[in-house]
Amino acid sequence: MAQRVEPFWQRKTLEQMDQAEWESLCDGCGLCCLQKLEDEDDVDAIYYTRVACKLLDRESCQCSNYAERTRFVPDCIQLTPGDAAQFKWLPPTCGYRRVAEGKDLPPWHHLVCGDPEAVHAAGISQAGRMIAEDAVAEDDWEEHIIFRVG
């Protein structure tokens, strides 16, 4: 009888994952690439807006220049296993955050279901519902808040 092998994200720590495994935890939702607002009265609160980073393809939720993104968006955050304790700002659906918190990936995650479009079909991403960063003044981002984390 064949023994069932647990998926890598269940049997490895974040630090044990190779680069390909680490990158594959990204579910492709693009939520981390939306502009966020912080509440100075509540330091734990992060408000996600519908305003997309200038490099984010608003239909596919993929970065249009992932390899050089920090050159064009200097404050773009590079997620690393060593930063896992800081992932509370990510949406609770995020594969990186879920694995860091010891939770399993959701059924719509491409590593679970095999379909990279499932994240969009499940309504997790904002594909087709985002607005371009240059289409709205930064002072008006508050009008485009879609959810709060923290």
Side-chain angles (χ1 to χ4, degrees):
M1 180 180 242
Q3 186 177 16
R4 184 168 188 259
V5 178
E6 289 182 324
F8 73 86
W9 64 89
Q10 292 177 347
R11 63 181 154 73
K12 291 184 174 184
T13 66
L14 294 175
E15 291 78 17
Q16 292 172 328
M17 292 180 192
D18 63 33
Q19 189 64 30
E21 291 168 333
W22 171 256
E23 292 282 335
S24 73
L25 289 179
C26 175
D27 57 31
C29 73
L31 295 176
C32 61
C33 299
L34 297 177
Q35 298 299 341
K36 294 163 233 24
L37 301 171
E38 295 181 76
D39 185 341
E40 54 191 47
D41 295 327
D42 183 355
V43 293
D44 293 329
I46 303 290
Y47 295 88
Y48 280 66
T49 72
R50 195 176 307 284
V51 181
C53 167
K54 65 184 176 183
L55 295 180
L56 186 65
D57 180 302
R58 296 187 317 274
E59 294 302 318
S60 71
C61 298
Q62 299 298 308
C63 182
S64 63
N65 196 347
Y66 185 73
E68 296 185 84
R69 67 193 184 282
T70 56
R71 191 171 132 219
F72 298 99
V73 181
D75 60 345
C76 181
I77 296 172
Q78 173 69 46
L79 299 177
T80 66
D83 297 328
Q86 318 249 325
F87 289 174
K88 297 286 187 208
W89 65 270
L90 291 167
T93 55
C94 174
Y96 293 113
R97 179 175 172 177
R98 290 183 64 83
V99 172
E101 292 175 348
K103 298 175 183 168
D104 202 359
L105 297 176
W108 47 260
H109 194 285
H110 66 92
L111 291 175
V112 176
C113 72
D115 180 5
E117 296 300 313
V119 67
H120 309 303
I124 301 302
S125 78
Q126 290 288 307
R129 297 177 284 175
M130 297 176 270
I131 54 178
E133 187 174 39
D134 62 358
V136 60
E138 191 172 342
D139 288 343
D140 296 331
W141 286 1
E142 193 171 303
E143 297 172 22
H144 300 280
I145 291 173
I146 52 175
F147 65 90
R148 174 185 180 219
V149 174

